[in-house]
Amino acid sequence: MKYNPPTLRETILCCCGLIFWLAVTILFIGFRAEHIVLALLIAGLYFACPSTRKLTVAILPFIIFGISYDWMNLLPNYEVNPVDVKGLYDTEKSLFGITVADGTRLTLNEYFAIHKSTFMDFMAGVFYLCWVPLPIFYGLWLYFTGKRKPYLHFALVFLLVNLIGFGLYYVHPAAPPWYVALHGFEAVPGTPGDVAGLGAFDEMTGLGIFNGLYARNSNVFAAMPSLHSAYTFVAFIYTIRAKSSLGWKITMGIVTVGIWFTAIYTSHHYLLDVLGGISCALAGFIIFEYGLMKIPSFKRFINRYAAYIS
């Protein structure tokens, strides 16, 4: 089989993009072996053959999402604006608090912390494990079943929702409920992440998944909006828009609601955070589909992009 290499322009763009990403990351964040592995994987797929090159370009929105998340370490949000710890807590309690028998008013997180369920502890872990993998799997399903244009719309909205959420983290740094429970109302930069209610899943399964994930969380003051609550919701929207099967719609709907509940149940987010994440998802979808796609030049770019990966 004859090898079809990328054009000179494509080669230069790919190499310059990878070099720029690695240089910024290594110089300003720190070297990790996984960066080199990922760069080699991207380059390998891009240069291997036309089909893997198209796949690499197709998943570029998810690659940019991962890089953007990592690059937030360049400038922690708590260095940009004051962290909201008590204000968010008081507002949550005022709007959605529960008054218990002794007259004490609790946030939903505090209420669930003393009303635990082994079944929900397990399901919380299952739901939270789906927050990124399931939307990406759905996107790849769209791609490999030939629905390239719906895939591209979904992937770009997914990226846009993240960029909106990341921007809001800098506008309004906010502490999660578990932070208040463990550390009170004083924001202390560099406080390590915590598994909070998800620790029960690690304990019952012995897997230690969430301990590993949250131990690497370098900034805990990114609770509002809850992007956990946005990702599968975006995917659910596109199961409807792309006319996916009933199975996909039901699965994504159940997981989405499960993640919304889990975020509160495990004290990783307030209900206000969840509503913020839902709002981000809707905003990203509306901006892209009913704003950007109405701009002729942008629509032509998307059509060319879709044609390239088809």
Side-chain angles (χ1 to χ4, degrees), residues 18 24 28 42 70 77 91 96 120-121 123 131 142 149 155 159 171 181 196 209 213 221 224 227 239 256 259 283:
L18 289 174
V24 171
F28 298 104
I42 293 171
D70 195 32
N77 64 342
T91 304
F96 306 114
M120 274 312 307
D121 287 343
M123 291 307 301
W131 70 293
L142 285 174
K149 197 164 185 179
L159 174 60
V171 173
I209 295 173
L213 287 173
F221 302 124
M224 164 64 90
L227 290 179
T239 62
T256 297
I259 288 175

Side-chain angles (χ1 to χ4, degrees), residues 201-259:
F201 179 85
D202 278 354
E203 290 176 8
M204 71 174 64
T205 62
L207 297 175
I209 295 173
F210 293 108
N211 273 295
L213 287 173
Y214 284 96
R216 298 179 61 180
N217 185 7
S218 59
N219 182 9
V220 303
F221 302 124
M224 164 64 90
S226 165
L227 290 179
H228 286 89
S229 302
Y231 295 159
T232 56
F233 183 44
V234 171
F236 174 72
I237 291 171
Y238 277 90
T239 62
I240 297 171
R241 191 171 181 84
K243 298 179 180 179
S244 297
S245 67
L246 181 62
W248 265 120
K249 292 172 184 173
I250 292 174
T251 299
M252 207 65 74
I254 290 173
V255 172
T256 297
V257 174
I259 288 175

Side-chain angles (χ1 to χ4, degrees), residues 237-290:
I237 291 171
Y238 277 90
T239 62
I240 297 171
R241 191 171 181 84
K243 298 179 180 179
S244 297
S245 67
L246 181 62
W248 265 120
K249 292 172 184 173
I250 292 174
T251 299
M252 207 65 74
I254 290 173
V255 172
T256 297
V257 174
I259 288 175
W260 292 348
F261 177 78
T262 296
I264 300 166
Y265 177 80
T266 60
S267 284
H268 277 276
H269 291 283
Y270 296 113
L271 177 54
L272 283 170
D273 303 337
V274 172
L275 294 175
I278 294 170
S279 298
C280 272
L282 291 172
F285 170 72
I286 292 169
I287 290 170
F288 184 88
E289 297 290 357
Y290 300 101

Side-chain angles (χ1 to χ4, degrees), residues 162-186:
N162 274 285
L163 296 179
I164 292 171
F166 294 166
L168 290 174
Y169 289 159
Y170 284 91
V171 173
H172 181 246
W178 64 259
Y179 182 91
V180 174
L182 292 179
H183 306 291
F185 295 116
E186 182 182 355

